[in-house]
Each structure stands twice: as structure tokens, then as C-alpha cells.
């Protein structure tokens, strides 16, 4: 039976194999088995992703860095490269330069801390927080004037000094005393956004009820103050009596307003009893030991190779098969299809085998270990199958690699593993009369399995004991001579009174440490803006505390007695566990996320959050990872704390609160056993979330919730992705990534910019990664490609695909001069349809039927002709030109195109489509002609 199956939409994106049988699911019906380096458009087609252009190498090729978006306006955007102790800036595909070097700002953030930094932007200010550092602001004062500084909370205005109070009373008054009046004065700036703490108290003995009595309060002027407020004591609370721009005020028995009091300031991010210093009193000795060196590699299973023969004899072409072998007095001889071939050539077979051994670390910390194979001798054949006849013949095998020898132990290996690859083996020909045979060694059975042994590690830690305190984490620094040289305070803890520290190690002794206790920093780990306040939360010692500045300010953490609605907010979230607050997310209401749940911060019986009306209520118990969430409309997308999946959180009127749902159910294979480490959101031209996992893969998620459109696609490159961020540039939102690549044997990290999806001119389209572009007068020699030295690159010149070249001496040479040349790394864009499912009379939907795809028709838009086949191993390239005039590039195709395909019978009936040239591809529908039996 021959059928035509029409797939009208590809809007389902890549779906998990566990969904293949869900043929009634609309998303699965529009899904694909593979959608690699393609992006799903909301209308249904899949379009090839643009390539990445190289912006600049990161400062340290051996260290990770993180990208953070900076959007001042639609026309002023930056990508911030936050690296180990530095910050750089990029925009419009270029780096902000200070002369001939990139402009930098120095920081003290270590590489290990970068992805734990939370941030929030307000105009020209980015607030950066990390539990190990004071909250900071990265401010832009000018194009080449960025400054990072610790935030000074509370007020910068000094309290007035020299405050005096003097009584004035009529001379005729008989009782001029009997009362004590106390006053304090504060200084305010012009818009009342800052008010100093109260001055020292000025007292006066007076009779405020006497004839003509009044008190004059005077003080010295304060730099930066616009006006002053005066407060008088009433029942232990200083109430407001007036304000003035002068430095004096008269109190003629004004009634104090006790609802307005002077602000009270404290060090909100300091805790008492923290360990602030650790001094090495005695260094001790003998703190030396192993450091994860690889000691041996055991070959637990190896490969067996035999001789494979093919060719012709008297009767024509013979079937390919294994050769027989036997041991004669002269050595090992071969037999092939009954013909005696003679001795295996040279008896030095092993010299023609070549293999490589690589040692890795599953936790990524080990470096430097190398090993080499131990080859078998040429006589170490062994019997694989039983002998035939009376001769000692049959299929014999040979194990080329019988062991592994360590040549360099390296260091730092926690979970080492080893791979062995044979990449060279003997091959020869035999000719005698009508016999013309080809022989080569080929793997017969077995796989290389190894067990890698390492030496372990010196363990050294510091134990802090105290009857009251807790939370301190100290890290010892051991010298190469085995002595304790210093102690790093990772967490100061709190509540300590008389702590002692002991160095615990499996080697060495004698070290002594003295500790200093004082007020210590306990800094928040997340930040956000909501209702004209800057919010902080989640310090190490107070993991479930929330702090917010006074209304209308970003640094004022003052409060009043009695409390005022505009005062700072400080509250602890009462929950079942003690997971640290990881994220503050402003939607219509404020949301906070921990590793175990999602909470809503909302007012009670009021429209605004104040210290009195604030309420914290749980919404769900899923938990968020450390990866910063992103927002779309009124919905939040976040990475789950466990399981690696993306989830959305939005308000449900039916539930009366916020609910979460799993976005990855139809594409679990992209997320299971992986961790999302970075997320970015692009609004234009398509609504796409980009995320990067800990395996270095980039995943796109086309998501329009109001249209019920959600589709995943995965993206790869010659390297691995490590961080991403999106900023608007011109008419599109542009994705920037940190990409780790191997160039000429060296590890290099690049900042790379994805090119626009929509390009007006065909010659400007870039479908290459780590690409560079020459634009100018036509020329053959393209120079300045230093970052790709030693790499084989693809070339797109004036709309033509040029044969690949290897970059040597930072240049390539074209056979014909071109004026617009793109040079970069090629990548494959692959589409693979789901196994065919079609309604048949036996109600099987095509299962348990053999299928032979005999034709494929694609509806394309502005596309080049792709390769097509029933597997990616056997693809056919149709002609790419039709009636174009000589000397012009191949025309892009629109509409339906019929592609020939070499059919063969399979169980699945899948179709594979690939574009491996730097050319566009956009497919909106697929029609398959298939025979089914």
C-alpha cells in the first residue's frame, strides 16, 4: 500500500522518545524526533538558527565567566562579562575599548562565585549581591566610567552637631523652671529621601507655661542638608515639632507629633559574635599527602580484532566475511573462502596498530594525567570459534591492546575514567591469478572497559567549637612544605563568645589558630525591586529573612518608633524548613523562591506593602535552583531545584494564588539528569527562552502561553556553551553566549553574538559559528583570522559556498576575489521526523508494519536545497542549482520542492533532513510518500 502522509506543522518541536506513541496528542502530532540547530517559529515552521559571530576572547581562557544583560533603554544596551576579578562590556557585537585594550573594572569575585551572584537593574545601576560579599552597585557614570562600590545603607548625611536649647521667658515670671525639655535635630536632603540620625540630646530647664516662655533650639549647619527637623521628648519618644531651612527654631510649647519620630539606623547586614579574624599561631608540620594522582589503569575488558576479507575470485565478487587462521611451523597463516592465502604479512602486525589513551575526571578537577597502550606481541593470537575439519583452523582473533601504562600521574582526580581508541590498523591486498582480495583487521567483538585508580587526597579542615555560636566555615591554606600558612574565613557565623579552632587532617600535626570575634557581615544572596523599595533576602546566617528599604529609597534602612508605613521592612519567613531564599521576583505581587517552595508576599487589607500589612504565604512546594528566573508577561519561568526541568509559575483565579507546571514533560530527554545553569529570554522576532545546561548544550524554547505554543529545540556547536544573556539591539533581541572551544589544541573561551534572524541581503546571512566577516573591496586573501588558526573553516563569500580551508597564519586564500566574506565553523542543522503513524484498517496506526519511504516533499521559504535520507548516515544531496544565470549564487527556494530519496524498508519510516552548508533552511511542512506492508 502506498500512502502520502502530510505533516502540516512542525510547531511541536523536538519531543521525547517516550512521547512517540502519543499520536493523539496535538503537540506530538506536530513534533519532531530531532530538531537540532533549528528554531521553532510560532506559526509552525522550523527555521535554521543564525550562526554566532566572534566578539572577543574572554580574559582568562582557563576560567569560566558569566554574562549579565544591561538595558538602559531600547537604544542603549550592554552585555556585561563578569569574570574572575574583572568586568568587561560588549555591545553591538563589539567590546568597549580603552585605547587598544578592553575597558575593565576590577572586582574581587572569584570564578567559583560568579553563577551564585544575583543582580537587579535600576536605570544606570546594577545591584550585585553574593552571600560572601557586601551588596554592591555597578554604576555607569559615562561610556568609559563604570564604578563598582559597596552600598552604604542608611544615610550619608551627618547628624547636626552643636545642638543647644535656650529658654526665653518674661522677666516678670515668678517660676522660671520646674520642667526639663529635651530636643534632638535631624538633617534632611532636598526631597526628604535622606534624613540623618538624631543629634545628641540638648536639654534645657524651663517653664514652658510661663509668661512669654519659649525655647530656642540652635545647631550647626550640615554639609549636603537642605533643611532640618526638630523633635521633642514626650514620654520617652521624640515627636516632631517642626522643620526649617535655618539653623534655629523656636518652640513655643508646640505639641509633639509622636507619630513622626527620628529615624533609627542599625547595621542591618551585620551580626554579632562573628569570627572576623583567624591568626596562625603555630604552622605545624607534615600536612602533606596525595593530591588525586592517577596511580594505575586496569584494562578490565579489551577489544578482539580479526581479519576481514573482501574482493574477487574466479567467480566474481565474493561476500565479505572473516578469514580463518591457523598456526603453521612458519607462523600464522590465513584461509579465505577455502583459498590458502599464506602467512600473515611480516609477522610484525602490532607495529601497524596505533591507539590513544585519554584520562578524564568526571568531576572536572583532575588535570595532567597521561597514559599509553601496552600492545600485544605479534604471536598472541587466540581461538575465537571452534576448528573446522581436522586442521587447527577456524576464526582466530588478536587483542591489539592488552594493558595501559601511566606516563604522567597528573593531580586533582576525584572520579577519573579512561577511554581507549584504536585509530590505525593493518590493511593489505593479495593478488594471485584471478584472486584479488583485500584484507584488513577489524573489530570482531568486545569493548574497552577500564578501571582507573587514584591516590586520594590530603584532607584538611578546621573545626570551630563554642558553647554559643554556630555557622562559621574556615578554610586552611597549606604550603608545599606541609605547613599551615593562613586561614580563609568563608563564613563568619554568629553568636560566638569564646570559640576555639582545631585543624583536622589525615596528615600532619602541631598547627594552632587564634580566633577574633566581633560584629561580622551577614550578606544577602538575592535582590529585587518592588513597590518603590529595593529588596534583599537570604543571607547565610539568616537564610529566610527579607529586608526592604524605606519607600522611595534604595539605601535607607531606617525605621521609626512607633513604626511608620514607609519604614524599612525586616521579616523572617516562617516555614517548615530553613532553605535560603534564592530569588526575589516582582510580578503583580512579590514572589520569593527557595530550594523547597514558592511564596507570595502580599499586603493584608491594604494596597501597599508596609511593615504592618506584609503577609508571606506559600503557593507551592517545588523549589528553585540557583539559576536566575526570567519573566514573560505575568508568568515566571524558573529551573526546578531537583530534576533539571523548567517550570512556569503564574496566577490562577480558580486556585486563588500562584500555581506551577512542568514545561518539559514532552521533551524530558533534554533535561533529565542535567542542570539548567543559565536562562535568557528573547522577545523579538520570536518569543524564545534560551537555556544552557551543565553539559554545555544550548536549548531554545519557543513559548507563547496565550496561544498555547511551546516547542523545544537543541543547539550544538564545535565546543560547549557556558553562559547566555539577551539584550535588544536594533530591531531584534540578540543572544550572546560564552562558548568554550578547542582551537589548535588549546582551550579558549569566546564571547559570541548570535546574528539576526532577519537579514535583507542574502550575502549578509551568516550560518557559521565563531565567525568573522570581511566587508570591503574585493580581495582573495582574507587575513586577521587569528582566533581560528589551525581550524578547518567554512566560507561564505558573496552569496557562494566556498570549499573549506584550514586557517594558516591567520588567513585564507580564495580562488576568486570577494567583497563580503564570512569565515567560521560549520554546524549541522538537522530535522528528523517522528516514526510514521497513520490510520490503517487494522487499527495499528502503522505499528508492526514495515515502511519504505519513496519520496519527500518539503514546503520551504527562502531556503537552500538540503540533504535528505532515511538516516543521517545515508543522505542524498539533490542538485542545488536550476536555471540561475552563470556567475550568480544559487537561488533560494520558495514553495514545494520534491526531493529524491533512496528508500529502504524500516520499521519507523523516519525522514532525515540536514543543511550542513552556510545556507538558510526554513521548512513549514513535510509530505512523505511511503509504502507500507
Amino acid at each position: 500500500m502506498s500512502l502520502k502522509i502530510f505533516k502540516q506543522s512542525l510547531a511541536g518541536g523536538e519531543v521525547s522518545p517516550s512521547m512517540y506513541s502519543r499520536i493523539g496528542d496535538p503537540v506530538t502530532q506536530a513534533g519532531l524526533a530531532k530538531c537540532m540547530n533549528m528554531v521553532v517559529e510560532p506559526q509552525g515552521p522550523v527555521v535554521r538558527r543564525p550562526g554566532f559571530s566572534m566578539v572577543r576572547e574572554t580574559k582568562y581562557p582557563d576560567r569560566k565567566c558569566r554574562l549579565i544583560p544591561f538595558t538602559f533603554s531600547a537604544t542603549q544596551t550592554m552585555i556585561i562579562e563578569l569574570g574572575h576579578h574583572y568586568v568587561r562590556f560588549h555591545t553591538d557585537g563589539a567590546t568597549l575599548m580603552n585605547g587598544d585594550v578592553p575597558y575593565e573594572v576590577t572586582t574581587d569575585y572569584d570564578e567559583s562565585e560568579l553563577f551564585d551572584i544575583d543582580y537587579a537593574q535600576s536605570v544606570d545601576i546594577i545591584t550585585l549581591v553574593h552571600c560572601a560579599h557586601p551588596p554592591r552597585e555597578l554604576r555607569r557614570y559615562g561610556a568609559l566610567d563604570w564604578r563598582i562600590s559597596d552600598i552604604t545603607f542608611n544615610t550619608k548625611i551627618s547628624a547636626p552637631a552643636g545642638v543647644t536649647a535656650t529658654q526665653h521667658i518674661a522677666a516678670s515670671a515668678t517660676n522660671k523652671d520646674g520642667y526639663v525639655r529635651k530636643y534632638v535635630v535631624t538633617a534632611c536632603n532636598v526631597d526628604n529621601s535622606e534624613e540623618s540620625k538624631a543629634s545628641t540630646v540638648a536639654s534645657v530647664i524651663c517653664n514652658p507655661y510661663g509668661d512669654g516662655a519659649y525655647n530656642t533650639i540652635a545647631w550647626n549647619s550640615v554639609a549636603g542638608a537642605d533643611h532640618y527637623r526638630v523633635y521633642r521628648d514626650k514620654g520617652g519618644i521624640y515627636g516632631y515639632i517642626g522643620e526649617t531651612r535655618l539653623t534655629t527654631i523656636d518652640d513655643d510649647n508646640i505639641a509633639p507629633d509622636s507619630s513622626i519620630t527620628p529615624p533609627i539606623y542599625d547595621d542591618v547586614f551585620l551580626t554579632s559574635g562573628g569570627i572576623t579574624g583567624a591568626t596562625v599561631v603555630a604552622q605545624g608540620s607534615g600536612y602533606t599527602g596525595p593530591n588525586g594522582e592517577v596511580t594505575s589503569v586496569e584494562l578490565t575488558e579489551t577489544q578482539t580484532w580479526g581479519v576481514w576479507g573482501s574482493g574477487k575470485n574466479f567467480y566474481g565478487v565474493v561476500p565479505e566475511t572473516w578469514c580463518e587462521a591457523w598456526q603453521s611451523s612458519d607462523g600464522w597463516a590465513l584461509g579465505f573462502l577455502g583459498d590458502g592465502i599464506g602467512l600473515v604479512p611480516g609477522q610484525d602486525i602490532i607495529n601497524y596498530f596505533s591507539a590513544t589513551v585519554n584520562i578524564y575526571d568526571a568531576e572536572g578537577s583532575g588535570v595532567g594525567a597521561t597514559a599509553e597502550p601496552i600492545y600485544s606481541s605479534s604471536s598472541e593470537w587466540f581461538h575465537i570459534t571452534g576448528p573446522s575439519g581436522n586442521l587447527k583452523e577456524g576464526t582466530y582473533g588478536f587483542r591489539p591492546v592488552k594493558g595501559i601504562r601511566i606516563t604522567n600521574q597528573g593531580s586533582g582526580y576525584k572520579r577519573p575514567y579512561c577511554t581507549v581508541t584504536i585509530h590505525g590498523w593493518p590493511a593489505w591486498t593479495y593478488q594471485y591469478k584471478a584472486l584479488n582480495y583485500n584484507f584488513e583487521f577489524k573489530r570482531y567483538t568486545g569493548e574497552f572497559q577500564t578501571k582507573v585508580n587514584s591516590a586520594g587526597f590530603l584532607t584538611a579542615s578546621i573545626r570551630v567549637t563554642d558553647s554559643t555560636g554556630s555557622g562559621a566555615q574556615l578554610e586552611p591554606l597549606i604550603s608545599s612544605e606541609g605547613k599551615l600558612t593562613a586561614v580563609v574565613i568563608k563564613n563568619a557565623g554568629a553568636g560566638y563568645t569564646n570559640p576555639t579552632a582545631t585543624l583536622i587532617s589525615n596528615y600532619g600535626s602541631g598547627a594552632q589558630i587564634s580566633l577574633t570575634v566581633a560584629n561580622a557581615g551577614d550578606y544577602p544572596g538575592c535582590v529585587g525591586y518592588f513597590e518603590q523599595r529595593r529588596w534583599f533576602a537570604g543571607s547565610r546566617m539568616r537564610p529566610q529573612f527579607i529586608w526592604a528599604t524605606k519607600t522611595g529609597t534604595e539605601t535607607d534602612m531606617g525605621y521609626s518608633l512607633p513604626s511608620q508605613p514607609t519604614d524599612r521592612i525586616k521579616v523572617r519567613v516562617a516555614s517548615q524548613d530553613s532553605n535560603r531564599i534564592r530569588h526575589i521576583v516582582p510580578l503583580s505581587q512579590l514572589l520569593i523562591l527557595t530550594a523547597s517552595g514558592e511564596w507570595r508576599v502580599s499586603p493584608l487589607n491594604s494596597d501597599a506593602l508596609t511593615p504592618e500589612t506584609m503577609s508571606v504565604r506559600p503557593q507551592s512546594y517545588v523549589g528553585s535552583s540557583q539559576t536566575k528566573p526570567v519573566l514573560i508577561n505575568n508568568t515566571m519561568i524558573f529551573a526546578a531545584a531537583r530534576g533539571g526541568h523548567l517550570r512556569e509559575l503564574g496566577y490562577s483565579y480558580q486556585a486563588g494564588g500562584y500555581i506551577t507546571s512542568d514545561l518539559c514533560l514532552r521533551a524530558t530527554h533534554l533535561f533529565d539528569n542535567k542542570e539548567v545553569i543559565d536562562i535568557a529570554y528573547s522577545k523579538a522576532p520570536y518569543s524564545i527562552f534560551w537555556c544552557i545546561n551543565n553539559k554545555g548544550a544550548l536549548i531554545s524554547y519557543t513559548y507563547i502561553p496565550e496561544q498555547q505554543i511551546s516547542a523545544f529545540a537543541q543547539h550544538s556547536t564545535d565546543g560547549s556553551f557556558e553562559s547566555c544573556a539577551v539584550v535588544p539591539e536594533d530591531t531584534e533581541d540578540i543572544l550572546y553566549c560564552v562558548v568554550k572551544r578547542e582551537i589548535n589544541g588549546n582551550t579558549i573561551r569566546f564571547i559570541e553574538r548570535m546574528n539576526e534572524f532577519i537579514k535583507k541581503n542574502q550575502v549578509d546571512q551568516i550560518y557559521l559559528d565563531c565567525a568573522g566577516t570581511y566587508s570591503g573591496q574585493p580581495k582573495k586573501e582574507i587575513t586577521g583570522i587569528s582566533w581560528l588558526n589551525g581550524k578547518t573553516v567554512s566560507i561564505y563569500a558573496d552569496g557562494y559556498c566556498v570549499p573549506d580551508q584550514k586557517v594558516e597564519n591567520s588567513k585564507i586564500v580564495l580562488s576568486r576575489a570577494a567583497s563580503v566574506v564570512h569565515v567560521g565553523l560549520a554546524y549541522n542543522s538537522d530535522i528528523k521526523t517522528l516514526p510514521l503513524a497513520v490510520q490503517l484498517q487494522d487499527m495499528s496506526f502503522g505499528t508492526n508494519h514495515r515502511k519504505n519511504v519513496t519520496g519527500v516533499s518539503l514546503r520551504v521559504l527562502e531556503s537552500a536545497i538540503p540533504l535528505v535520507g532515511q538516516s543521517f548516515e545515508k543522505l542524498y544531496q539533490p542538485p542545488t542549482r536550476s536555471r540561475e544565470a552563470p556567475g550568480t549564487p544559487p537561488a533560494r527556494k520558495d514553495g514545494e520542492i520534491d526531493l529524491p530519496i533512496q528508500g529502504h524498508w524500516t520499521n519507523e519510516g523516519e525522514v532525515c533532513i540536514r543543511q550542513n552548508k552556510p545556507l538558510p533552511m526554513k521548512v513549514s511542512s513535510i509530505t512523505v510518500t511511503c509504502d507500507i506492508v
Side-chain angles (χ1 to χ4, degrees):
M1 178 190 335
S2 181
L3 299 174
K4 286 186 179 291
I5 299 98
F6 176 55
K7 194 175 186 68
Q8 64 178 350
S9 172
L10 309 177
E14 184 168 331
V15 299
S16 170
S18 59
M19 292 291 296
Y20 287 0
S21 61
R22 293 280 300 276
I23 59 177
D25 178 55
V27 175
T28 304
Q29 291 175 2
L32 296 167
K34 187 175 186 180
C35 189
M36 174 67 74
N37 289 320
M38 303 288 290
V39 170
V40 182
E41 290 189 354
Q43 297 80 7
V46 291
V47 60
R48 191 178 198 198
R49 73 157 173 88
F52 284 92
S53 290
M54 195 278 292
V55 178
R56 182 167 291 273
E57 296 178 20
T58 62
K59 183 174 183 178
Y60 301 115
D62 59 338
R63 294 183 181 273
K64 292 183 178 181
C65 62
R66 182 184 179 189
L67 300 185
I68 292 177
F70 172 84
T71 303
F72 178 80
S73 66
T75 57
Q76 294 186 45
T77 62
M78 286 272 185
I79 287 291
I80 296 176
E81 176 190 339
L82 186 60
H84 180 73
H85 295 175
Y86 76 93
V87 177
R88 286 181 175 178
F89 308 88
H90 312 276
T91 183
D92 288 323
T95 302
L96 185 64
M97 302 295 287
N98 184 15
D100 295 331
V101 298
Y103 176 76
E104 286 187 9
V105 175
T106 301
T107 74
D108 62 351
Y109 295 119
D110 293 335
E111 176 191 8
S112 60
E113 299 171 332
L114 298 178
F115 284 87
D116 292 329
I117 295 172
D118 195 27
Y119 60 90
Q121 182 182 342
S122 174
V123 195
D124 268 327
I125 304 170
I126 294 182
T127 307
L128 303 172
V129 295
H130 187 282
C131 290
H133 300 270
R136 289 173 177 150
E137 290 179 342
L138 178 62
R139 287 177 175 256
R140 182 179 70 165
Y141 292 88
L144 291 175
D145 188 6
W146 293 72
R147 307 173 198 171
I148 189 168
S149 60
D150 294 349
I151 299 175
T152 301
F153 288 101
N154 307 324
T155 181
K156 298 178 182 178
I157 301 178
S158 301
V163 181
T164 60
T166 306
Q167 175 182 235
H168 302 274
I169 193 169
S172 59
T174 58
N175 185 9
K176 297 182 180 181
D177 53 24
Y179 297 86
V180 177
R181 287 286 168 89
K182 299 178 181 180
Y183 299 90
V184 294
V185 183
T186 64
C188 303
N189 65 0
V190 65
D191 60 357
N192 283 331
S193 61
E194 286 194 46
E195 183 177 3
S196 73
K197 65 180 182 180
S199 67
T200 56
V201 176
S203 300
V204 59
I205 299 175
C206 61
N207 179 10
Y209 305 104
D211 294 338
Y214 67 92
N215 295 334
T216 297
I217 301 93
W219 57 89
N220 300 332
S221 62
V222 176
D226 176 75
H227 57 279
Y228 305 89
R229 288 180 175 177
V230 182
Y231 302 86
R232 194 180 79 209
D233 175 50
K234 181 181 180 181
I237 294 178
Y238 284 87
Y240 172 83
I241 62 171
E243 61 184 65
T244 178
R245 283 190 166 89
L246 305 177
T247 56
T248 62
I249 196 171
D250 293 336
D251 174 19
D252 53 356
N253 205 20
I254 302 171
D257 184 353
S258 298
S259 65
I260 305 175
T261 59
I264 301 172
Y265 296 108
D266 57 7
D267 293 319
V268 67
F269 295 129
L270 288 182
T271 57
S272 62
I275 295 176
T276 58
T279 304
V280 177
V281 178
Q283 292 184 325
S285 63
Y287 296 102
T288 57
N291 186 30
E293 296 86 359
V294 174
T295 56
S296 64
V297 178
E298 301 175 29
L299 191 60
T300 58
E301 182 181 340
T302 187
Q303 292 181 355
T304 298
W305 287 53
V307 180
W308 183 259
S310 63
K312 298 179 180 180
N313 62 12
F314 303 96
Y315 306 103
V317 177
V318 300
E320 298 182 2
T321 187
W322 297 102
C323 296
E324 296 176 331
W326 66 89
Q327 190 172 21
S328 69
S329 58
D330 296 323
W332 282 95
L334 292 179
F336 183 56
L337 299 177
D339 294 316
I341 305 306
L343 298 178
V344 176
Q347 291 299 304
D348 54 354
I349 305 168
I350 197 62
N351 296 334
Y352 296 94
F353 279 94
S354 57
T356 56
V357 179
N358 293 299
I359 298 176
Y360 305 94
D361 193 351
E363 295 190 6
S365 58
V367 293
T370 57
E372 62 184 11
I374 301 174
Y375 295 104
S376 301
S377 66
S378 298
S379 61
E380 293 184 68
W381 291 71
F382 67 95
H383 197 202
I384 297 177
T385 62
S388 61
N390 297 321
L391 298 175
K392 290 184 178 180
E393 62 181 352
T395 303
Y396 276 72
F398 183 75
R399 290 174 178 158
V401 177
K402 65 178 181 179
I404 296 174
R405 181 185 300 111
I406 298 296
T407 56
N408 193 330
Q409 291 186 324
S411 63
Y413 288 88
K414 296 181 180 179
R415 291 176 55 198
Y417 66 96
C418 176
T419 62
V420 183
T421 305
I422 293 179
H423 49 77
W425 51 85
W428 68 97
T429 60
Y430 176 83
Q431 293 179 345
Y432 178 74
K433 295 183 179 181
L435 303 181
N436 189 354
Y437 293 144
N438 298 310
F439 298 105
E440 68 172 326
F441 273 86
K442 190 175 182 180
R443 188 182 69 85
Y444 182 84
T445 186
E447 293 292 348
F448 287 115
Q449 300 290 336
T450 61
K451 178 184 178 182
V452 184
N453 302 307
S454 60
F457 291 86
L458 164 72
T459 60
S461 61
I462 296 176
R463 181 175 63 199
V464 180
T465 56
D466 186 69
S467 59
T468 58
S470 64
Q473 295 178 2
L474 308 184
E475 181 179 291
L477 297 181
I478 308 295
S479 69
S480 58
E481 291 81 17
K483 297 181 179 181
L484 176 66
T485 57
V487 176
V488 177
I489 301 174
K490 291 292 187 179
N491 190 355
Y496 289 97
T497 53
N498 187 29
T500 60
T502 305
L503 179 60
I504 308 298
S505 176
N506 52 351
Y507 296 89
S509 62
Q512 297 180 14
I513 305 168
S514 174
L515 301 178
T516 302
V517 176
N519 289 338
D522 182 34
Y523 304 122
C526 57
V527 63
Y529 286 90
F530 187 72
E531 289 191 353
Q532 301 301 305
R533 299 176 188 260
R534 183 156 54 175
W535 296 73
F536 301 88
S539 68
R540 284 175 173 169
M541 297 306 300
R542 293 169 289 179
Q544 295 184 313
F545 270 73
I546 303 173
W547 300 269
T549 61
K550 294 182 70 171
T551 301
T553 73
E554 294 192 5
T555 59
D556 192 341
M557 285 287 187
Y559 64 98
S560 307
L561 290 177
S563 176
Q564 301 295 318
T566 58
D567 280 355
R568 72 112 185 267
I569 294 175
K570 177 183 178 182
V571 65
R572 177 186 176 272
V573 178
S575 66
Q576 297 175 354
D577 51 40
S578 187
N579 284 304
R580 186 177 67 83
I581 297 173
R582 288 178 165 176
H583 304 290
I584 296 173
V585 183
L587 289 174
S588 58
Q589 294 178 327
L590 188 67
L591 300 174
I592 58 176
L593 310 181
T594 73
S596 61
E598 294 72 47
W599 302 71
R600 175 175 63 169
V601 181
S602 58
L604 290 173
N605 305 319
S606 173
D607 291 332
L609 284 172
T610 69
E612 290 83 12
T613 66
M614 182 172 171
S615 170
V616 183
R617 301 176 182 178
Q619 302 298 293
S620 61
Y621 292 96
V622 175
S624 169
S625 74
Q626 189 64 39
T627 304
K628 189 174 181 64
V630 292
L631 305 179
I632 172 173
N633 300 334
N634 61 347
T635 302
M636 172 177 61
I637 307 295
F638 67 95
R642 294 161 299 281
H645 286 206
L646 293 177
R647 301 187 68 92
E648 70 171 346
L649 185 146
Y651 189 80
S652 169
Y653 289 98
Q654 292 83 355
Y658 288 85
I659 60 174
T660 70
S661 60
D662 193 335
L663 297 174
C664 306
L665 291 179
R666 291 185 174 89
T668 55
H669 65 297
L670 300 179
F671 295 91
D672 286 346
N673 302 315
K674 303 176 183 69
E675 178 186 354
V676 175
I677 60 174
D678 215 350
I679 310 177
Y681 175 53
S682 170
K683 301 176 184 177
Y686 313 116
S687 177
I688 299 175
F689 287 94
W690 302 93
C691 63
I692 292 174
N693 63 32
N694 59 339
K695 304 298 183 181
L698 175 67
I699 298 172
S700 65
Y701 178 49
T702 304
Y703 184 57
I704 305 179
E706 64 271 21
Q707 299 295 331
Q708 297 181 346
I709 294 173
S710 64
F712 286 99
Q714 56 179 317
H715 304 269
S716 64
T717 187
D718 182 15
S720 58
F721 296 94
E722 294 187 336
S723 181
C724 64
V726 169
V727 292
E729 291 181 359
D730 199 11
T731 60
E732 294 190 17
D733 290 343
I734 301 299
L735 173 70
Y736 285 77
C737 288
V738 178
V739 187
K740 175 184 174 183
R741 302 187 184 276
E742 295 293 326
I743 306 292
N744 213 14
N746 300 313
T747 297
I748 301 179
R749 287 177 166 87
F750 296 95
I751 307 297
E752 299 187 24
R753 175 189 186 269
M754 180 179 280
N755 292 279
E756 292 80 0
F757 278 87
I758 301 172
K759 289 279 193 179
K760 294 181 179 179
N761 298 320
Q762 180 175 319
V763 297
D764 294 328
Q765 296 174 340
I766 303 177
Y767 295 97
L768 298 166
D769 285 346
C770 202
T773 298
Y774 166 78
S775 181
Q777 293 297 317
K779 59 189 300 187
K780 291 184 177 182
E781 186 176 281
I782 309 300
T783 59
I785 321 172
S786 58
W787 70 94
L788 291 176
N789 258 335
K791 294 289 285 187
T792 297
V793 296
S794 293
I795 306 161
Y796 186 66
D798 287 348
Y800 292 91
C801 291
V802 177
D804 293 354
Q805 293 188 34
K806 186 175 182 180
V807 178
E808 296 179 346
N809 299 320
S810 304
K811 68 180 181 180
I812 59 170
V813 179
L814 306 177
S815 59
R816 185 175 67 177
S819 57
V820 179
V821 182
H822 307 295
V823 181
L825 304 176
Y827 59 92
N828 293 332
S829 292
D830 293 341
I831 300 171
K832 185 178 182 180
T833 61
L834 295 176
L836 282 180
V838 60
Q839 178 68 62
L840 299 177
Q841 291 183 352
D842 62 1
M843 303 300 293
S844 66
F845 290 94
T847 60
N848 201 29
H849 284 263
R850 297 283 286 172
K851 307 169 187 73
N852 180 27
V853 176
T854 59
V856 177
S857 178
L858 306 180
R859 179 169 290 278
V860 299
L861 297 91
E862 287 294 316
S863 296
I865 300 294
L867 291 82
V868 64
Q870 285 195 260
S871 71
F872 287 113
E873 289 71 32
K874 294 183 179 180
L875 294 172
Y876 173 72
Q877 175 66 73
T880 59
R881 301 182 68 92
S882 55
R883 298 181 179 180
E884 295 89 345
T888 62
R892 303 292 185 255
K893 306 299 180 184
D894 281 306
E896 284 195 11
I897 56 173
D898 294 325
L899 301 178
I901 186 170
Q902 183 178 0
H904 59 273
W905 292 97
T906 65
N907 291 326
E908 308 295 349
E910 297 168 318
V911 174
C912 299
I913 303 166
R914 169 174 289 172
Q915 181 56 263
N916 60 355
K917 302 296 183 184
L919 298 170
M921 180 170 68
K922 184 175 182 178
V923 181
S924 62
S925 67
I926 302 174
T927 303
V928 176
T929 303
C930 182
D931 296 333
I932 300 179
V933 295

